Amino acid sequence: MAATKDYRLLCLENPLLDIQAFGDEALLEKYGLKPNDAILAEEKHLPIYEDLLNNYDAKLIAGGAAQNTARGAQYILPPNSVVYLGGAGDDKYAAILRDAVKQVGLRVEYRVDPKIPTGRCGVVITGHNRSMVTELGAANHYDLEHLKRPDIWALVENAEAYYIGGYHFTVCPPAIQELAKQAAEKNKPFILSLSAPFICQFFKEPLDASAPYWDYVIGNEGEAAAYSESHGLGLTDVKEIAKALANLPKLNTQRKRVAIITQGTEPTVVAIQGEDEVKEYPVHELAKELINDTNGAGDAFAGGFCAGIVDGHPLEEAVNMGQWLARLSIQELGPSYPFPKQTYSRQ
């Protein structure tokens, strides 16, 4: 069998260095944080990153939703299969980030901004709660110029599929559109994650501009509900929303659009453009005592799913690969995957 070529999957979004540690009420109080929350950092929060690094047993993870997904896809695929784009600084946080991705075999091509710090997410874990404080930093300054740089565009042309994390709609929609057009012109899969309800609500215009290019759109039940509400669909049933997403107008008619909605422990819903039947794929149960942390489960699902699509597996198998990787991830702390590496086998 001929060897597969390198860097078949290209991912784009906002890289962050996750600095996570077990804390206590006093640490939350020190920075005015709620036990279970996700906020953007204000001036008063900025010292938390050094605090966690210096005074706590912090675990460092190459984070940002799509970078989690890229690591997940690379976890399953052969070496040198995935390349990830985004913006980073030229500082110790970027160096830590590069070390972290190197360890898991993910290639990154960051747009380096020497004046702006690398994006960071401080994660304080108290019991089953996690308080996340994010400073986007250099991730917020990715630009089309980097994507179109000859060496980066060569990676785009080489790739066989593209995955976009929806948080990038807040940063550089033109880069998303360029990848979308390339996918349609060359008949390559364009896979998009809705990522968060606020993307559907407050970044509707760039989201809708990309919609005709979606070959696969992935979301959870909360994002599906937000899409329905913000687009006036009047639908509350997840299966009906999936069907509506699948049947939005589409430019590349060589591929039927597929909409995938995850629902935690409830079945994964899959709708295909032009087909009446909406399929449900049950999630394999995991004993509660084995669940460590559900943060990043959606990113892991997308990673397994992308690996399946890039490797040419049937849709049902790609969904199963997503569920398999999500199942592994929730047994780890944070959006991580177990080492030594486990090999995918159908559940």
Side-chain angles (χ1 to χ4, degrees), residues 108-125:
V108 295
E109 293 292 343
Y110 297 139
R111 174 194 177 271
V112 177
D113 195 315
K115 296 176 185 170
I116 301 169
T118 298
R120 299 164 289 177
C121 180
V123 185
V124 180
I125 302 163

Side-chain angles (χ1 to χ4, degrees), residues 86-87 154 179 190 262 275:
L179 289 175
F190 184 79
T262 61
E275 296 186 12

Side-chain angles (χ1 to χ4, degrees), residues 19-295:
I19 307 168
Q20 59 179 29
F22 289 98
D24 52 25
E25 292 300 322
L27 182 61
L28 294 175
E29 203 173 299
K30 181 178 178 181
Y31 293 102
L33 301 173
K34 295 175 187 170
N36 202 22
D37 205 4
I39 62 168
L40 288 174
E42 299 170 30
E43 196 70 32
K44 66 180 181 182
H45 300 122
L46 296 181
I48 195 171
Y49 306 111
E50 289 298 310
D51 199 349
L52 289 172
L53 280 173
N54 296 331
N55 303 315
Y56 293 83
D57 185 17
K59 183 177 182 183
L60 304 175
I61 296 174
Q67 192 160 234
N68 297 337
T69 293
R71 287 189 293 108
Q74 183 57 75
Y75 186 88
I76 292 178
L77 293 168
N80 304 325
S81 288
V82 186
V83 60
Y84 173 84
L85 310 179
D90 185 14
D91 52 16
K92 74 171 184 180
Y93 294 101
I96 295 168
L97 203 51
R98 289 179 189 279
D99 281 348
V101 293
K102 192 175 181 183
Q103 283 173 21
V104 297
L106 175 65
R107 178 176 176 180
V108 295
E109 293 292 343
Y110 297 139
R111 174 194 177 271
V112 177
D113 195 315
K115 296 176 185 170
I116 301 169
T118 298
R120 299 164 289 177
C121 180
V123 185
V124 180
I125 302 163
T126 51
H128 288 294
N129 294 319
R130 50 177 41 241
S131 187
M132 297 189 279
V133 189
T134 298
E135 183 196 23
L136 278 172
N140 210 23
H141 294 266
Y142 190 81
D143 58 23
L144 186 58
E145 192 181 345
H146 180 266
L147 182 71
K148 299 295 286 202
R149 214 173 70 188
D151 58 324
I152 303 299
W153 193 250
L155 291 167
V156 172
E157 291 180 322
N158 171 76
E160 294 173 358
Y162 308 115
Y163 174 82
I164 311 297
Y167 290 112
H168 203 73
F169 284 110
T170 72
V171 174
C172 188
I176 297 173
Q177 288 300 101
E178 279 298 310
L179 289 175
K181 287 171 188 170
Q182 177 76 5
E185 283 171 18
K186 306 294 184 185
N187 190 27
K188 297 175 179 181
F190 184 79
I191 309 163
L192 182 115
S193 170
L194 295 175
S195 293
F198 82 85
I199 299 296
C200 303
Q201 294 159 332
F202 303 117
F203 293 87
K204 189 169 171 285
E205 195 176 315
L207 179 69
D208 291 352
S210 73
Y213 297 95
W214 303 343
D215 293 306
Y216 299 91
V217 57
I218 303 171
N220 62 27
E221 70 274 40
E223 292 148 16
Y227 185 94
S228 175
E229 189 181 338
S230 64
H231 288 74
L233 300 184
L235 301 171
T236 54
D237 180 81
V238 168
K239 290 165 89 170
E240 290 302 315
I241 298 170
K243 194 186 275 195
L245 285 167
N247 287 295
L248 290 170
K250 190 170 187 299
L251 278 167
N252 180 7
T253 55
Q254 295 179 77
R255 297 176 182 274
K256 289 183 176 182
R257 181 184 295 115
V258 180
I260 303 110
I261 310 293
T262 61
Q263 307 182 90
T265 56
E266 296 300 307
T268 301
V269 169
V270 177
I272 300 172
Q273 185 179 20
E275 296 186 12
D276 261 350
E277 186 192 359
V278 178
K279 292 181 178 170
E280 293 183 283
Y281 296 95
V283 173
H284 297 271
E285 205 173 331
L286 185 65
K288 277 186 181 171
E289 60 269 21
L290 293 177
I291 297 174
N292 195 354
D293 187 354
T294 57
N295 179 48

Side-chain angles (χ1 to χ4, degrees), residues 59 61-62 64-76 104 106 295-304 321-322 324-342:
K59 183 177 182 183
I61 296 174
Q67 192 160 234
N68 297 337
T69 293
R71 287 189 293 108
Q74 183 57 75
Y75 186 88
I76 292 178
V104 297
L106 175 65
N295 179 48
D299 303 338
F301 173 86
M321 290 170 77
W324 177 82
L325 195 62
R327 181 187 170 97
L328 288 188
S329 177
I330 63 176
Q331 296 176 68
E332 301 293 310
L333 182 60
S336 303
Y337 310 105
F339 278 89
K341 194 179 277 201
Q342 296 190 24

